[in-house]
Structures are given as C-alpha cells and as structure tokens.
C-alpha cells in the first residue's frame, strides 16, 4: 500500500466515487448511487466515515479500500488454515496480498477493496456452512456478507449465485435434508429481500449498456482469464514437481482436498468463464479486469491449494512465489508502481479545480467534458440536473467547494436529439433578464483534449457560446485539459 501515500490527485473514477458521497448535493447518496452511478452505495458510505474521522484528503479517501484489502488478507488466511493448515493459509494470504489483478485496484478510492473483503467473507461462510449446516451463525454470516457484496458491486452477483447454489446442493445431500434445505431457503429469501432495491439500478445499467461500452469484447480467453491462471499456476506447479522429485514430499491429502478444490474452482474460474462468454456486444465492458476482483480470493486459495498439494511448506512457498513472479512479468507495471494513479492528466484536473476555486464567482456555471463514458447519454438526459452533475463530476467539490451549477457536455452534438438547442437555451437564460448586479453573465468550460471525442465536444460548446453572444475572456491550457471563461459581450 505504500505507493498510495504519494499517489497525488484524484483520478476520474475517484471523482465519481466522491460525487456519490458529497453531502452538498441534493438528494441522498443512496439516490445518487442507485439512480445514476454504476456501483451501489456501501463502499461510499464507508468512505464517508473515513472522511468524517480523518478529514478530507486524497489519502483519507483512499484509505478504506486499502484497509478492507488488508482485512481480506486476514480472512483468506483463516480460510486456508481451516481448509488444511496454517501454511496453506499463509500462502493464500500471500497470493491475495500480491495478486496482479487486484493490487492496483484496491489502492484507489473505489469499491474494490471492500469487494475483496466481502467476497472473502462469502467464501469463508460458504466453507463453514457446508461443514456445519445447522449453524445459524455461519448461515447468517453468509447472508449478510452476500448482501454486503451485492451492495458493493453488481458484477459480484455470480459469486453469490454460485456459492448459494453450492450450499443448496450440499443441503440436499446432507443427512437432515428437510431442516437444512428449509434453513437454506430462509436465508435465500432474506438475501433476496435485502437486495430488492438493487433490481431497478441493474435494469437501468442494462438499458444504458449500449452507451457505456468502452472496451472490445473480442479478446482471447487467455487474456480474459489472466496470466495468474495460464502462466503462474503452471510454472509454480512445475517448480513444486521438480522439488518433490528430489524427495521433498509431504503426507497424503485427505479426501476433503477434492471437495475444497471443487468449491474454489467453482467460485473462481467458473465465474470468469461466464463473464468471458457474456463480454460481447452491449456488454463488452465486462472484459475489464476490475470486474473479476470478486473472484480473486477463491482463486488465491485455489492457487495455494495446488502448490500445497503433497508438498512440504518450503516447496509450496517456492511454487507460490514463482507463480506470482511470472504473473507479474506479464503486467504493465511492477507491484510497487502505480498504474491507475499519479498521472499528469489527473494533476492537471486538480489544477483546474484549484484555479476555479480562486478565480471563479459563486454561481457561475461550469460546463465539463472529462471523458466520462456517460457523456454519450447527455443527449437523452440533458434535462436531468442530477445526471448532468454526475457527468461533470471531475470538477468536483473535492477541490472546488464553492457552489456552481455543473453540467456535463455531450460527446456528439447531434441536432436531431435536441441537445444543441438545450445548451443554447441554457446559455441564453443565464443572461435573461440579466444579472442583478449589472455585471455581464459568465460561465466556464473545462474540457479534456486528449481524444477526438473530447475535442469535438469542446468545439461544439465553443461555437454555441460565440453564436449566443458570449466572448472568450480568459483561458488556461495544459497538455490534456483546457479551461476557458466566457462572458456576455457588451454590445448584446
């Protein structure tokens, strides 16, 4: 977690997280999350607590995700210890702590640290509920952690469905079938009731799906699964085989090994294969590795289990370290380097916010094009002020606390959608009947300039400003961002 201490300005996704918890906005964080954002509110509520306790800073905002990640490492240690021994628990914890697909995701102020913790708890409760089907404590822990996981990220639902089905089958095969199945049904119904409010946002995201895709679903299965599986595990297993051929072999494993391995494979590899099958067409964005974070804990346990099988602790440790090292060689950044934080563009957007805080007047409108994928929906939801604030969230109140109307700009100025006329009316109304103090009406445009879509969006707004009687009065340019201020011309 050490690089997170010096990670600098918030990235675009973190501004989206702050928009959910920002108490100065109308409505509640629950409404903003379920009706507009792409994630449920549980991680946002946790971030709010940390900001309240430690004050507003980038580090305090990112801290809860890191804390949850470290707590997940402890839970995974307990799972591995319960499955076989403390060596297995330690190796599973090592894999989770250094997993290439999870480490950088938990160092930003998003939900993925909490996803790791909740999915680890679901896995832990699943193992114990199967072992002790009459225990109310473990079944309650499973239901609550499953609900917490679903209230943290929607794509984690596969883990809940697979583990819940596994428990149901185990209940059918148990001795006291009637009682165990009834208790399973009670918990499933309780989970369904807790998650009823999530149905509407899932349907909304399904409707928005064609407009939110930003990745190609045409990827090989090997790239989708990740190098931990197709490279790390084979290399680690080979290391273990070589060491065992030298006589370093542990005692035989009990039959429970195969049951544990089957459960871990069902909770790790199976959901990734399902996501790979779904990641096409309108759902191609599911190919993003962050959506597989929920299945990392089970995969970490499975990797450790494979290395520990019939191996002494030193052999298993050598295989596990070898698997991690070769998997990291396929990663674009080393584990001690930040991949998603610390970019120059994010620092530029922070300077935009600080410049506006110093030079803007309260109440001046700010039109924002930050490259957020939801900008493609502006033409359909331009009349929804809350949605427009969401698209403009990169100029957030984290750096700019004074009150300003914030409006997101569309990627495309399609005349047939009426979006151009909407923004024209907004500009005209800002000067009608005129400011009370007699000063000219004014507004700001903050736009990313790193893609054709962003530059097209900026050009469309500039043209509207000039044709409605405004003139450019000042501007600042960075490598990837441009900030402009417009005021109504005196001859209007």
């Amino acid at each position: 977690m050490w690089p997170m201490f010096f990670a600098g300005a918030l990235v675009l996704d973190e501004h989206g997280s702050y928009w959910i918890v920002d108490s100065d906005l109308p409505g509640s964080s629950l409404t903003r999350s379920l009706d507009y954002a792409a994630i449920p509110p549980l991680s946002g509520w946790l971030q709010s607590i940390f900001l309240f306790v430690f004050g507003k800073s980038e580090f305090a905002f990112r801290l809860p995700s890191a804390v949850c990640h470290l707590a997940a490492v402890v839970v995974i240690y307990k799972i591995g210890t319960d499955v076989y021994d403390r060596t297995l628990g330690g190796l599973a914890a090592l894999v989770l702590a250094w997993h290439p697909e999870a480490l950088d995701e938990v160092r930003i102020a998003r939900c993925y640290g909490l996803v790791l913790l909740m999915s680890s708890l679901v896995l832990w409760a699943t193992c114990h509920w199967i072992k002790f089907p009459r225990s109310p404590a473990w079944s309650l822990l499973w239901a609550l952690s499953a609900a917490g996981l679903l209230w943290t990220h929607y794509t984690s639902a596969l883990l809940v469905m697979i583990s819940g089905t596994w428990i149901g089958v185990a209940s059918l095969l148990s001795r006291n079938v009637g009682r165990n199945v009834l208790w399973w049904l009670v918990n499933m119904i309780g989970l369904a009731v807790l998650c009823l409010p999530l149905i509407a946002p899932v349907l909304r995201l399904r409707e928005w799906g064609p407009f939110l895709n930003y990745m190609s679903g045409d990827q090989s299965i090997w790239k989708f699964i990740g190098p931990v599986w197709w490279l790390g595990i084979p290399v680690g297993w080979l290391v273990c085989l070589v060491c065992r051929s030298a006589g370093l072999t542990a005692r035989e494993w009990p039959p429970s090994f195969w049951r544990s391995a089957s459960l871990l494979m069902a909770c790790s590899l199976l959901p990734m294969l399902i996501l790979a099958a779904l990641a096409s067409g309108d759902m191609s964005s599911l190919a993003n590795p962050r959506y597989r974070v929920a299945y990392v804990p089970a995969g970490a346990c499975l990797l450790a289990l494979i290395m520990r099988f019939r191996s002494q602790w030193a052999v298993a440790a050598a295989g596990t370290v070898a698997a991690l090292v070769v998997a990291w060689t396929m990663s674009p950044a080393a584990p001690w380097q930040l991949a998603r934080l610390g970019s120059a563009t994010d620092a530029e957007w922070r300077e935009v916010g600080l410049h506006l805080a110093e030079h803007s007047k309260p109440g001046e409108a700010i039109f924002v094009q930050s490259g957020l994928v939801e900008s493609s929906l502006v033409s359909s939801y331009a009349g929804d002020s809350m949605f427009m604030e969401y698209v403009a969230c990169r100029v957030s109140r984290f750096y700019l606390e004074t009150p300003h109307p914030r409006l997101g700009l569309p990627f495309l100025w399609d005349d047939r959608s009426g979006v151009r006329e909407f923004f024209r009316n907004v500009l005209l109304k800002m000067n009608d009947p005129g400011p009370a103090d007699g000063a000219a009406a004014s507004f700001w445009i903050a736009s990313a300039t790193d893609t054709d879509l962003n530059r097209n969006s900026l050009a469309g707004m500039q043209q509207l400003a000039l044709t409605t009687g405004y003139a450019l009065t000042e501007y600042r340019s960075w490598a990837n961002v441009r900030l402009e201020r417009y005021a109504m011309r005196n001859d209007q």
Side-chain angles (χ1 to χ4, degrees):
M1 296 298 103
W2 182 250
M4 190 186 69
F5 282 80
F6 315 101
L10 299 186
V11 302
L12 176 56
D13 285 348
E14 292 179 314
H15 282 291
S17 296
Y18 189 72
W19 180 84
I20 295 175
V21 303
D22 189 354
S23 60
D24 293 334
L25 286 168
S28 65
S29 59
L30 181 67
T31 300
R32 293 192 290 272
S33 176
L34 298 185
D35 293 349
Y36 299 95
I39 59 173
L42 187 58
S43 60
W45 293 337
L46 184 60
Q47 290 166 340
S48 297
I49 295 173
F50 274 71
L51 290 174
F52 176 78
V53 173
F54 298 105
K56 189 173 72 172
S57 69
E58 290 94 345
F59 175 71
F61 194 36
R62 293 165 179 151
L63 185 58
S65 182
V67 170
C68 288
H69 169 59
L70 297 177
V73 171
V74 177
V75 175
I76 286 299
Y77 168 78
K78 290 294 297 178
I79 295 173
T81 301
D82 293 342
V83 167
Y84 188 62
D85 62 6
R86 290 187 298 171
T87 297
L88 178 58
L91 295 178
L94 177 69
V95 175
L96 184 62
W98 290 86
H99 201 285
E101 291 192 357
L103 184 56
D104 204 59
E105 295 294 342
V106 302
R107 294 190 290 207
I108 72 172
R110 290 287 283 174
C111 62
Y112 297 104
L114 187 58
V115 166
L116 275 182
L117 177 57
M118 288 297 171
S119 56
S120 300
L121 289 172
V122 167
L123 184 62
W124 192 28
T126 300
C127 294
H128 281 276
W129 191 353
I130 294 171
K131 189 181 298 184
F132 307 107
R134 300 184 183 181
S135 172
W138 288 111
S139 60
L140 181 61
L141 175 62
W142 185 91
L144 293 178
S145 56
L149 181 59
L150 293 174
W151 277 86
T152 303
H153 206 288
Y154 301 115
T155 57
S156 305
L158 283 174
L159 178 62
V160 175
M161 290 188 289
I162 291 171
S163 61
T165 302
W166 197 278
I167 295 169
V169 173
S171 299
L172 286 171
L173 299 177
S174 62
R175 293 181 180 178
N176 194 346
V177 177
R179 182 187 183 280
N180 293 339
V181 170
L182 178 61
W183 188 239
W184 175 80
L185 285 172
V186 169
N187 280 273
M188 295 303 113
I189 293 172
L191 174 63
V193 171
L194 289 174
C195 297
L196 278 177
L198 301 179
I199 296 176
V202 168
L203 295 177
R204 169 180 60 83
L205 290 173
R206 183 69 183 90
E207 180 184 350
W208 288 5
F211 303 95
L212 302 184
N213 283 319
Y214 52 89
M215 292 188 66
S216 171
D218 187 19
Q219 299 187 43
S220 68
I221 188 65
W222 306 113
K223 185 175 181 180
F224 195 97
I225 291 177
V228 171
W229 287 93
W230 61 262
L231 181 62
I233 290 180
V235 169
W237 180 240
L238 180 62
V239 169
C240 292
L241 285 178
V242 170
C243 293
R244 289 208 302 265
S245 66
L248 301 175
T249 305
R251 66 186 185 274
E252 293 293 331
W253 276 56
S256 61
F257 164 79
W258 301 109
R259 292 195 296 269
S260 300
S262 300
L263 173 62
L264 294 174
M265 189 171 294
C267 292
S268 58
L269 187 58
L270 178 58
M272 288 194 294
L273 294 175
I274 294 174
L275 285 177
L278 294 175
S280 62
D282 293 345
M283 302 175 69
S284 62
S285 59
L286 290 176
N288 196 306
R290 74 184 69 169
Y291 299 141
R292 305 194 288 273
V293 169
Y295 316 111
V296 165
C301 283
L302 182 60
L303 189 155
L305 193 69
I306 292 172
M307 303 307 155
R308 185 69 173 113
F309 178 63
R310 298 184 61 190
S311 298
Q312 293 182 359
W313 72 267
V315 174
T320 301
V321 172
L324 286 172
V325 170
V326 298
W328 272 108
T329 61
M330 304 298 293
S331 230
W336 51 85
Q337 295 175 325
L338 294 170
R340 299 189 62 195
L341 295 176
S343 75
T345 300
D346 300 320
E348 292 169 3
W349 277 99
R350 177 171 59 184
E351 290 184 32
V352 167
L354 297 177
H355 182 88
L356 288 169
E358 182 178 355
H359 298 285
S360 65
K361 297 183 296 185
E364 279 187 313
I366 305 172
F367 298 88
V368 182
Q369 178 50 266
S370 63
L372 190 72
V373 67
E374 280 83 355
S375 296
S376 57
L377 286 164
V378 167
S379 58
S380 301
Y381 295 91
D384 189 330
S385 59
M386 186 76 78
F387 178 81
M388 296 295 275
E389 284 245 0
Y390 175 48
V391 178
C393 67
R394 198 162 195 173
V395 182
S396 69
R397 289 170 175 81
F398 196 91
Y399 298 120
L400 178 60
E401 297 183 349
T402 51
H404 295 273
R406 293 166 168 85
L407 296 92
L409 293 176
F411 281 136
L412 301 174
W413 295 92
D414 185 2
D415 290 331
R416 293 172 299 178
S417 67
V419 68
R420 191 183 301 271
E421 190 64 24
F422 170 83
F423 280 93
R424 182 188 302 275
N425 291 334
V426 170
L427 295 180
L428 293 174
K429 288 179 181 178
M430 286 195 304
N431 199 47
D432 184 21
D437 59 2
S442 58
F443 64 88
W444 297 81
I445 302 176
S447 176
T449 57
D450 54 342
T451 67
D452 290 341
L453 283 175
N454 292 334
R455 289 189 290 270
N456 174 77
S457 181
L458 172 62
M461 191 62 195
Q462 290 170 330
Q463 182 184 29
L464 272 178
L466 297 177
T467 57
T468 50
Y470 290 86
L472 178 65
T473 59
E474 62 176 286
Y475 69 90
R476 283 195 64 183
S477 291
W478 293 266
N480 299 294
V481 186
R482 182 175 174 87
L483 178 66
E484 298 179 343
R485 185 176 186 270
Y486 287 83
M488 180 63 70
R489 292 196 298 265
N490 293 329
D491 57 351
Q492 296 299 310

